[in-house]
Amino acid sequence: MKHSIDDLAILGGSPTFQNKLHVGKPNIGNRERFLARLNDILDQKWLTNNGPYVQQFEERIRELTGVKNCVATCNGTLALEIAIKAAQLTGEVIVPAFTFVATAHALQWLDIVPVLCDVDASHNIDPHQVEQMITPRTTAIIGVHLWGRPCDIAALTNLAERHNLKLLFDAAHAFGCSYKGRMIGNFGTAEIFSFHATKFLNAFEGGAIVTNDDELASNARLMRNFGFAGYDNVVQLGTNGKMNEVSAAMGLTSLESLADFIEVNRNNYETYSRELADVRGLSLSKYNENEKCNYQYVVLHVDPDVTTIDRDQLVEVLWAENVIARKYFAPGCHRMSPYRSQYSAANSRFHFTELLSERLLCLPTGTAITEKDILEICAIIRLVIQNGDEVARKIQGRHMRLRT
Ligand code: T4K
């Protein structure tokens, strides 16, 4: 433990951790079961193209979410693109600016205009602003359940119905979460999950489209496989969005540890919460205890007016200690290419996106981190905030010296 700011690695001390602690270090389930599945795949010589493990994986997701249809894909971005195509979106689609850029890119990639909208204090898309952005060209809204915390689904559903729009959800963060007691996956026209390595439940790379709309599902299934409806029979335009068998084996193995992963995330979250509870100017994003949550993101809000050191400086301090905290999701999509030229004059419209992208940071969690690690991370954060002025001054002085 560090007792003085002069012990901080950024000010010349040695790093607290020898190895880097990452946000998004993968959770690995039972290795033996995964390797047994891998051996079976090699024995069967069925590696991809809707193989038995993909079918089992889809079945398990259907059981866990209660959704009628699941179409597993090679990643979450392809799941989004296929869902967008299968739902026949065109023209303009309203999406939040405060999200991982894949949400907007999936639309732009398909020559659909992503109309960026601000989020509200919940970090999710603001239904009031959505309504103001609807034009005759709008065909849909895509909400993002950021950090696994559901959007205001009731308000968005109402809005979509009143304006005759499709409603999709990017649920990349929200596998295993619920809204008003119903599992995420069941809402809107369709929802998508990501099972990327950095998600708490991973398939190396992977994703899924889930929907209660049978027609959309069978359309998505065709699109995932070049439009093939059987050997040599192409019935429509498609792409290659298939999940392979090794990913499905990893996904199935991860699913067997789902409850354990959530328990670990929850304990980590509670330790961070407890240790940082009284630190002025800091607060953790809360989860709704009445719903199912996966607790996969530990999101810290830094209020620089109170802490006197800002989020970026705190991240610098942590990186020097080998705590690779992430500034998710900064900058907002409206400041990223190719969108920024279109929005350069409109930054004031993104009040919360701007604020959050300057103030939030994500801390390491998951099975790769121990309680002792978290106590040490929190001790560093407390030390830095208690001495905010002085640490900020010294970091600035160090930068000036490095520049001259
Ligand atoms: N919608 C939303 C709202 C999303 O958040 C995402 C993905 C998508 C859609 C699209 O889903 P996918 O097409 O990806 O399935 C990461 C992930 O690449 C991305 O999947 C995720 N969201 C996003 C939030 O985070 P980066 O650019 O931060 O990745 P990277 O390479 O910096 O990795 C994050 C950290 O994880 C690193 O600090 C190192 C660690 N790591 C990473 C990998 C890959 C490991 O320890 N082991 C690993 O194998 O985007």
Side-chain angles (χ1 to χ4, degrees), residues 22-26 75-78 80 99-100 102-103 144 146 170 172-173 192-199 205-207 297 324 326 328-329:
H22 287 290
V23 173
K25 194 96 183 156
N75 59 53
T77 306
L78 254 290
L80 263 175
T99 179
F100 187 61
T103 320
V144 180
L146 209 74
D170 175 342
H173 299 181
I192 71 95
F193 295 125
S194 164
F195 303 114
H196 181 257
T198 56
K199 297 291 179 290
E205 289 265 6
Y297 290 99
I324 313 302
R326 295 297 299 265
Y328 287 147
F329 287 101

Side-chain angles (χ1 to χ4, degrees), residues 227-298:
F228 275 105
Y231 281 130
D232 309 326
N233 183 23
V234 174
V235 294
Q236 63 172 71
L237 179 65
T239 184
N240 183 355
K242 289 172 271 122
M243 175 179 271
N244 69 66
E245 288 290 276
V246 177
S247 283
M250 186 63 169
L252 279 167
T253 311
S254 300
L255 281 174
E256 287 164 355
S257 296
L258 180 69
D260 297 338
F261 294 158
I262 293 177
E263 180 71 9
V264 167
N265 282 347
R266 188 190 172 119
N267 288 338
N268 289 348
Y269 174 81
E270 282 171 359
T271 306
Y272 276 116
S273 273
R274 195 180 59 239
E275 292 297 309
L276 298 175
D278 298 328
V279 186
R280 63 197 163 90
L282 298 186
S283 54
L284 282 191
S285 290
K286 294 200 171 29
Y287 290 96
N288 182 348
E289 296 294 323
N290 299 319
E291 299 286 356
K292 288 199 161 77
C293 308
N294 61 32
Y295 298 91
Q296 74 174 306
Y297 290 99
V298 177

